[in-house]
Amino acid sequence: MTNLKITAAAGPIGAEITGADVSRPLDTEIFQAIDGAIDDYAVIVIRDQNLTAPQLADFSRRFGRPQVNVRQTANNDGTPEVGWISNVTKDGKQVGSHDAGRYWHSDLCYLERPSKLTVLNALEVPTKDGVTYGVTQFAGTVPAYDALTDEMKHRLEGVQGANSYRTMWNRKAIEFGVRPYLNEAELAKYPEDAIHPVVRIHPKTGRKCLFVCNGYTNALIGLTKEESEEILEFLFDHITGSDFKYEHQWRVGDVLIWDNCAVQHKAKFDYALPLRRLMQRCTIEGDKPY
Ligand code: SIN
């Protein structure tokens, strides 16, 4: 018997789960209910979890192989599969990444095997006068694909995109100034661009998803620069400007899990110190997109 309760959000994306304690090993029935809810709703929040980094990694491991993020300075020292996302500075050093989630993106799509899931646990949430800041927004890539015209679907058949960590790095360095601008030799330490289909098949649901994002996709292979830019700009607007959205208002203790094939996400930077935001994150390796 379990007290697990799953409540769908108003739109097609998002659900809330209460009555689970993911700090301890989960029995199969509860794990399967959570896993099934991710397939059904693409983004789920499990409320009221107070996790250490090893507990977050252990829970995440139930879904697959945790990834160690390439940005090692943002990772937890003792549990490197867990990374910090924050606006907090300690002893003059940034705690984790201060500019993660600035652009719409799908996690680690710059790798040959991008993240299938992300598990993000809120330890501190910026709130003032009863208002919560720093929400995370999600947009559904399946309904976005379905809403394309037949002509555009046809145009995208077999097209691949380049997803670039290196381009993202210096773009963020210039736009936000909280990471250093890197020269070619320094950038070369990070992954080369990953080439993925623009339309990929979701490995569990079999649905077609749009897999380009403003944060990382910088070119469509084999197209002229003008054509590539025109199509990418259209797709970025189409995905993120759609009605297929969910906006997560954080509470301390939330464990938010999202499916990086079925949604893209972006964080809102509408707060500043002394309002603090501290999150710990674990991503799970997915398949090579096809
Ligand atoms: C991320 O992009 O993975 C972080 C999102 C957030 O901080 O809300």
Side-chain angles (χ1 to χ4, degrees):
M1 288 300 285
T2 156
N3 294 324
L4 199 80
K5 188 169 168 223
I6 302 175
T7 310
I13 299 170
E16 178 187 69
I17 297 185
T18 53
D21 175 3
V22 305
S23 67
R24 292 182 297 181
L26 293 178
D27 68 33
T28 306
E29 185 193 1
I30 295 181
F31 173 73
Q32 284 177 346
I34 294 172
D35 199 35
I38 299 168
D39 291 340
D40 291 343
Y41 301 107
V43 183
I44 58 147
V45 58
I46 309 173
R47 301 284 191 193
D48 307 317
Q49 309 299 310
N50 183 15
L51 303 182
T52 62
Q55 284 170 336
L56 176 61
D58 285 346
F59 169 60
S60 303
R61 203 168 285 116
R62 287 294 299 263
F63 298 97
R65 200 170 81 84
Q67 297 168 298
V68 175
N69 198 275
V70 294
R71 197 171 180 198
Q72 286 168 9
T73 53
N75 292 341
N76 180 295
D77 286 339
T79 312
E81 312 92 304
V82 170
W84 299 105
I85 292 174
S86 189
N87 67 334
V88 175
T89 299
K90 197 173 169 206
D91 302 328
K93 272 179 62 182
Q94 290 177 11
V95 173
S97 174
H98 279 208
D99 57 8
R102 278 280 182 179
Y103 309 121
W104 283 100
H105 69 288
S106 176
D107 280 328
L108 280 57
C109 62
Y110 50 82
L111 296 182
E112 193 184 6
R113 295 174 68 117
S115 314
K116 69 171 176 182
L117 297 179
T118 299
V119 187
L120 189 61
N121 180 213
L123 303 180
E124 295 184 57
V125 174
T127 42
K128 194 176 171 206
D129 301 330
V131 180
T132 301
Y133 298 92
V135 304
T136 308
Q137 303 167 289
F138 293 88
T141 60
V142 175
Y145 173 79
D146 290 345
L148 291 174
T149 61
D150 286 345
E151 189 198 344
M152 182 53 82
K153 286 179 182 165
H154 184 66
R155 206 167 166 196
L156 296 178
E157 264 171 37
V159 177
Q160 295 187 305
N163 297 278
S164 179
Y165 186 86
R166 299 177 187 179
T167 305
M168 173 283 299
W169 183 288
N170 277 345
R171 182 178 165 202
K172 278 189 176 171
I174 293 167
E175 285 188 37
F176 309 116
V178 293
R179 61 173 72 203
Y181 189 89
L182 300 182
N183 63 31
E184 286 299 317
E186 290 164 328
L187 281 178
K189 294 179 197 150
Y190 290 108
E192 286 182 2
D193 296 359
I195 310 302
H196 296 310
V198 168
V199 179
R200 66 178 286 199
I201 309 291
H202 192 289
K204 280 177 90 182
T205 66
R207 302 289 302 272
K208 287 186 174 172
C209 312
L210 284 172
F211 200 61
V212 291
C213 61
N214 179 280
Y216 293 103
T217 315
N218 64 1
L220 298 179
I221 310 297
L223 273 58
T224 63
K225 190 167 180 296
E226 290 71 27
E227 203 183 357
S228 166
E229 282 174 3
E230 181 214 322
I231 295 179
L232 283 177
E233 206 169 303
F234 165 77
L235 290 176
F236 298 156
D237 285 350
H238 174 75
I239 297 166
T240 63
S242 73
D243 293 336
F244 323 119
K245 290 258 193 62
Y246 168 75
E247 189 167 276
H248 187 65
Q249 304 274 347
W250 288 94
R251 290 188 213 159
V252 171
D254 281 354
V255 166
L256 194 69
I257 308 176
W258 64 82
D259 175 331
N260 281 291
C261 186
V263 291
Q264 299 186 1
H265 62 285
K266 180 179 190 283
K268 256 194 191 166
F269 283 74
D270 55 356
Y271 58 93
L273 292 172
L275 302 186
R276 292 165 56 102
R277 190 175 190 267
L278 181 65
M279 308 270 169
Q280 50 181 356
R281 182 180 79 170
C282 189
T283 62
I284 305 300
E285 186 177 79
D287 294 327
K288 186 171 159 42
Y290 53 88

